[in-house]
Amino acid sequence: MSRAVVLVFAVASSGIVLNHVAKLLMATGMLKHVYNHAPGTCRFVPGAEQGSEDIELTSSGLAFISSGLVPQGFILDPLYLSYEQGILMYDFQNPTAGAKKLNIFPKSAEVEEDFMPHGISVYEDDHSGEVRLFVVNHAKGHQERVEIFRFDSDSNSLYHIKSIEHPLLYSLNDILAIGPESFYASNDKYTTGLYTRMAETWFLLPWSNVVYYSGGEATIVADGLVYANGISLSPGGKLVYVADFTSGVVKIYHRRDDNTLLFSRDISIHSSVHKICVDPASGDLWVGAHPSAFHLAEHLKDASRPCGSQVLRIENPAGENVTVTEMYSDDGRWLWGSSIGCYHEKQLLIGTINHKLMHCTVDLPL
Amino acid sequence: MASKILVLLVPLAAFVFQSLFQPRVRFGDHNHVYNHVPGTCRLVEGVVHGAEDIVRTRDGLAFISTGMKPPPAFNPDPWYLQAVGKILLFDLKKPEDGVRELKIEPEEILSEGLGPHGLGLYENYAGEIRLFVVNHHKEGDRVDIFRYVRPEAKLQHVRSVRDPLLHSVNDVLATGTDAFFATNDHYCHAPWAMKLERFLGLAWSNVVYFNGTTASVAADGFSIANSIATPPSGDLVYVSDTLQQHVRVFRRLPDHSLELQRVIPLFTGVDNLNICPETGDLWVGAHPSVSDTFSHIRDRRHLAPSQVLRIQNAAGEYPEVTELYANDGRQLSGSTAAVVYNRRLLIGTVVDTLLYCDIMVPM
């Protein structure tokens, strides 16, 4: 009798384990074979060799690029620790100039030594024309902060306005500016230690969330995500898109008048989706993804190991007929570890976590 | 006692798990297929019963085999059994003209039922064009050789080649006016045996050479030898193996047997091969999920993903593979073949339609 119970227990638990292993295999994309193709002619952009994890465009086609990220929660090749952090700028109208590092004022120890930028967001004031840049700052050795800068186009500089800290902003990844000092932010994990974060991933724990901050107050507006990563807004401001890296989906939320979020649906991407760029003209989502999170992890451990890249375009994300097209795919032949792709006037700018920045022409009809 | 059972059970369970899992991987169940095109694409009107193989002349005349009825072993959807076997022509210099059906002389060949599968093209500098057609004739597989008469757009039958060694023919590669290589995609004849042969991954499929008079085995040990192509130099022969998901590169020996040089892994159900006569690039039609293609043959509502790959430097040590087209089945199901001429692409399928694309990406 007891032998039967043990046997049943053994079969049931091995079923649960095997199911989890299968889920992990699919999530990490270990068995996937990646093919190569590009939408046009591609070349690397000079001046951005140490990562371009997030890219945001202004309405006039200027791209802000967050560079030098040392990602948390991964075993890392020491090479990445020597990277220089900063915000770069690329002008689609002036492509030969490459990517230029922006000066940050005032020059304080806080912002110079302590700066570890991650997700960024652009806020443009329609009346004053002021362009603000919100930056997630994993201030080294300090509590996570959100830095708000004002961009000065004459001097190509960022002027620091404010730092924001809050207990609910504890494991920040990306940010979405809604007002001059208000925003949504994704907390990608619940814990901050290396091994606890890894455990959260391996056990697929749904402890990641999205927070709304305004006027000193913050509330959790979406939770139960496994790994909330990129967060973006639809052109009309009514929908919020959140990339869940481990689940491989883009989550769509309706934005209520009080800025809380109501979950609408998931768009399955079957890849580890990273950051999202919304094309203001069409409302299309351009998503940077990693075809195999497993190979990405290997690349983070050893900088000489290639990993793949992928950029997808999602048309009609909120409608009946969502169309997903793969616009760029690379098995590691050229670009390693794409995290974002931004489309602008028949061109595509592809950023990576810690590799190069790529510019492609888009010769395909859209 | 319990430990003895475990000692038997564990390896048995491992074997069962492995044999259930491995064919799934070989048949491509696990891959998600993303959609992308090389430019604007449109379905070619008038092709509804497949375009299993396509070959083209140096000046862009494409011959297409259509109306192949899947054999009973595949439990085909009754819709496909209404198909009538034909050879179509598509001029890649004038894509707006679409396809036209070629007249065949004598008429009996069509009226007694043509079961066209793979095609081979022989073209010499005197302007003679011969089309070799794998014909699943009701009396047994044979290779029909036709002369293409350009002014009348007709195929004039020259001879039919039958041989005990040509029993499950898939594709044919013309090497002379009367000589060719052909692939036998299975070893077994009976439907149930062919199914088992596939599932167990038995590597008994082969390539046969016909010198104009007699046939001989040129290479064997394939899981499914599907298609066969040769670069303009003629010294190498490429053979695709669908279930082993690769292209084998052979050197052609003086006695026409094939010596394996290397393998180009493609990780997909490779179907037909075409060589670009100008660049030596290999154009590959493939099934990212062979099991979905089989399901599509059983039920036409079940979609099957499609894929076209381009292999540059196929003869060299480091071939470069680019994916030119991929679809989850909604635009095109079960792609088998691709030809390119002057930035124009034609993609054929087992039992469905024909897709024409203008290539806008750099090549």
Side-chain angles (χ1 to χ4, degrees):
Chain A
M1 176 60 191
S2 58
R3 280 231 187 105
V5 171
V6 168
L7 196 62
V8 166
F9 182 74
V11 168
S13 46
S14 42
I16 293 170
V17 168
L18 276 176
N19 184 50
H20 188 84
V21 167
K23 262 169 106 184
L24 271 178
L25 271 179
M26 294 307 285
T28 55
M30 261 173 79
L31 296 175
K32 224 195 247 193
H33 183 76
V34 180
Y35 295 94
N36 296 304
H37 66 90
T41 317
C42 298
R43 56 173 183 89
F44 292 122
V45 176
E49 278 86 36
Q50 294 185 344
S52 35
E53 204 266 359
D54 197 9
I55 302 175
E56 282 275 322
L57 305 188
T58 65
S59 51
S60 56
L62 279 178
F64 289 104
I65 302 156
S66 155
S67 179
L69 176 72
V70 179
Q72 297 162 310
F74 295 93
I75 297 171
L76 294 172
D77 188 316
L79 173 71
Y80 301 131
L81 302 174
S82 68
Y83 278 11
E84 264 184 44
Q85 285 74 38
I87 304 293
L88 311 175
M89 158 149 282
Y90 175 83
D91 187 354
F92 280 98
Q93 321 280 12
N94 195 6
T96 46
K100 291 261 170 61
K101 190 163 179 187
L102 293 174
N103 288 317
I104 294 179
F105 296 107
K107 292 192 168 304
S108 66
E110 250 177 21
V111 185
E112 286 221 345
E113 287 163 21
D114 226 14
F115 200 45
M116 175 64 77
H118 197 156
I120 56 177
S121 181
V122 168
Y123 176 77
E124 289 180 75
D125 189 312
D126 295 326
H127 305 291
S128 64
E130 183 188 64
V131 174
R132 288 193 172 201
L133 188 71
F134 288 52
V135 181
V136 165
N137 183 6
H138 299 299
K140 306 167 199 174
H142 297 265
Q143 156 86 1
E144 310 260 84
R145 294 204 293 263
V146 172
E147 312 291 359
I148 303 181
F149 297 94
R150 176 177 61 81
F151 174 63
D152 179 45
S153 51
D154 296 322
S155 60
N156 271 350
S157 309
L158 292 170
Y159 285 88
H160 188 248
I161 298 175
K162 195 170 189 165
S163 291
I164 294 175
E165 282 182 25
H166 190 284
L168 276 184
L169 305 173
Y170 50 82
S171 180
L172 295 176
N173 191 300
D174 197 10
I175 187 156
L176 170 60
I178 297 290
E181 285 181 17
S182 55
F183 54 84
Y184 289 98
S186 50
N187 281 309
D188 54 21
K189 292 264 164 257
Y190 187 73
T191 57
T192 48
L194 170 64
Y195 293 102
T196 51
R197 288 173 72 93
M198 276 167 63
E200 277 187 63
T201 302
W202 286 107
F203 287 103
L204 301 175
L205 298 173
W207 292 352
S208 172
N209 63 30
V210 175
V211 161
Y212 176 72
Y213 175 94
S214 179
E217 311 260 307
T219 41
I220 295 175
V221 287
D223 68 21
L225 292 110
V226 183
Y227 194 140
N229 200 312
I231 177 164
S232 290
L233 191 68
S234 63
K238 290 279 180 349
L239 299 171
V240 170
Y241 307 112
V242 182
D244 189 324
F245 186 84
T246 310
S247 306
V249 300
V250 171
K251 302 181 98 66
I252 305 185
Y253 296 87
H254 288 295
R255 189 174 152 223
R256 297 194 187 93
D257 292 330
D258 61 355
N259 291 305
T260 54
L261 299 179
L262 173 68
F263 176 68
S264 171
R265 60 145 91 139
D266 282 340
I267 302 178
S268 283
I269 300 293
H270 305 274
S271 256
S272 300
V273 285
H274 205 129
K275 294 278 187 305
I276 305 169
C277 212
V278 181
D279 177 16
S282 59
D284 290 349
L285 299 184
W286 289 73
V287 175
H290 306 278
S292 169
F294 173 74
H295 289 118
L296 172 68
E298 293 292 293
H299 165 69
L300 290 174
K301 245 194 277 184
D302 177 353
S304 65
R305 288 182 72 152
C307 65
S309 289
Q310 188 183 32
V311 175
L312 300 145
R313 170 186 173 219
I314 306 174
E315 289 169 85
N316 203 18
E320 286 281 329
N321 295 319
V322 183
T323 310
V324 180
T325 310
E326 188 179 65
M327 301 304 291
Y328 179 91
S329 177
D330 185 335
D331 62 5
R333 195 157 66 169
W334 298 300
L335 196 69
W336 301 358
S338 59
S339 53
I340 185 160
C342 279
Y343 174 79
H344 178 78
E345 290 178 6
K346 305 287 282 171
Q347 300 162 81
L348 176 63
L349 196 62
I350 311 176
T352 57
I353 299 182
N354 50 27
H355 194 236
K356 302 182 189 177
L357 177 67
M358 183 172 256
H359 173 274
C360 295
T361 57
V362 178
D363 301 342
L364 296 168
L366 286 188
Chain B
M1 184 58 196
S3 55
K4 284 208 187 104
I5 296 177
L6 255 145
V7 164
L8 283 174
L9 261 182
V10 171
L12 183 67
F15 174 73
V16 168
F17 183 75
Q18 196 261 157
S19 37
L20 284 177
F21 192 63
Q22 235 219 42
R24 306 252 114 210
V25 174
R26 250 191 288 124
F27 278 63
D29 278 354
H30 60 283
N31 260 340
H32 178 79
V33 178
Y34 296 96
N35 296 320
H36 70 95
V37 292
T40 29
C41 295
R42 57 174 175 82
L43 293 177
V44 176
E45 265 187 54
V47 182
V48 293
H49 281 298
E52 205 276 346
D53 201 8
I54 313 172
V55 289
R56 72 152 172 98
T57 63
R58 273 189 297 270
D59 70 340
L61 274 182
F63 294 90
I64 301 153
S65 67
T66 184
M68 182 181 88
K69 289 197 190 40
F74 289 83
N75 287 342
D77 187 310
W79 161 257
Y80 304 134
L81 302 177
Q82 296 171 36
V84 174
K86 300 178 195 158
I87 306 292
L88 306 174
L89 188 78
F90 185 101
D91 187 350
L92 283 158
K93 293 189 298 296
K94 290 191 246 152
E96 58 284 357
D97 288 354
V99 287
R100 59 186 292 190
E101 186 184 339
L102 286 176
K103 285 196 293 265
I104 294 185
E105 236 169 64
E107 277 188 35
E108 288 76 61
I109 297 195
L110 275 179
S111 57
E112 66 185 12
L114 180 74
H117 198 153
L119 301 174
L121 193 80
Y122 169 79
E123 193 179 12
N124 67 20
Y125 286 96
E128 179 173 359
I129 295 173
R130 288 196 174 202
L131 189 70
F132 289 51
V133 180
V134 171
N135 185 0
H136 296 301
H137 192 262
K138 49 182 188 275
E139 287 164 17
D141 282 5
R142 68 187 203 205
V143 174
D144 289 334
I145 305 179
F146 299 90
R147 195 180 295 114
Y148 177 61
V149 182
R150 211 186 261 259
E152 292 148 65
K154 77 168 180 227
L155 292 169
Q156 182 117 59
H157 182 249
V158 174
R159 67 186 289 194
S160 292
V161 177
R162 256 176 291 253
D163 193 285
L165 278 180
L166 300 170
H167 60 268
S168 182
V169 193
N170 192 304
D171 197 8
V172 61
L173 168 67
T175 55
T177 52
D178 292 75
F180 57 82
F181 282 97
T183 50
N184 280 311
D185 54 26
H186 288 80
Y187 178 81
C188 298
H189 297 257
W192 64 268
M194 284 165 76
K195 238 189 203 145
L196 204 60
E197 198 186 320
R198 277 195 307 272
F199 190 76
L200 290 176
L202 299 176
W204 293 349
S205 154
N206 65 18
V207 173
V208 162
Y209 179 72
F210 181 77
N211 64 6
T213 331
T214 51
S216 55
V217 175
D220 63 15
F222 295 89
S223 286
I224 289 189
N226 195 312
S227 179
I228 181 161
T230 188
S233 52
D235 57 338
L236 293 176
V237 171
Y238 303 111
V239 183
S240 62
D241 189 323
T242 309
L243 285 188
Q244 297 217 13
Q245 305 193 331
H246 61 212
V247 172
R248 294 191 195 186
V249 183
F250 293 93
R251 200 160 64 85
R252 191 173 160 190
L253 299 177
D255 66 350
H256 306 290
S257 64
L258 302 174
E259 185 188 72
L260 183 68
Q261 301 292 288
R262 71 183 78 87
V263 152
I264 306 174
L266 294 177
F267 306 94
T268 183
V270 194
D271 202 315
N272 287 328
L273 303 175
N274 261 298
I275 282 266
C276 173
E278 293 88 31
T279 60
D281 288 353
L282 254 183
W283 294 98
V284 179
H287 308 278
S289 170
V290 169
S291 65
D292 277 319
T293 303
F294 286 158
S295 298
H296 179 65
I297 292 177
R298 281 193 296 274
D299 178 357
R300 64 188 288 233
R301 292 162 305 181
H302 185 108
L303 301 177
S306 293
Q307 185 183 38
V308 171
L309 298 170
R310 171 194 188 194
I311 308 178
Q312 289 164 280
N313 200 24
E317 266 202 72
Y318 302 108
E320 236 179 67
V321 180
T322 312
E323 187 178 68
L324 208 63
Y325 175 89
N327 193 269
D328 57 12
R330 279 175 289 176
Q331 182 179 50
L332 201 68
S333 269
S335 59
T336 47
V339 287
V340 173
Y341 173 77
N342 200 18
R343 309 206 101 205
R344 292 166 175 176
L345 168 67
L346 266 182
I347 310 175
T349 56
V350 199
V351 284
D352 285 302
T353 50
L354 178 67
L355 193 75
Y356 169 82
C357 298
D358 282 303
I359 300 178
M360 292 165 167
V361 291
M363 284 185 65

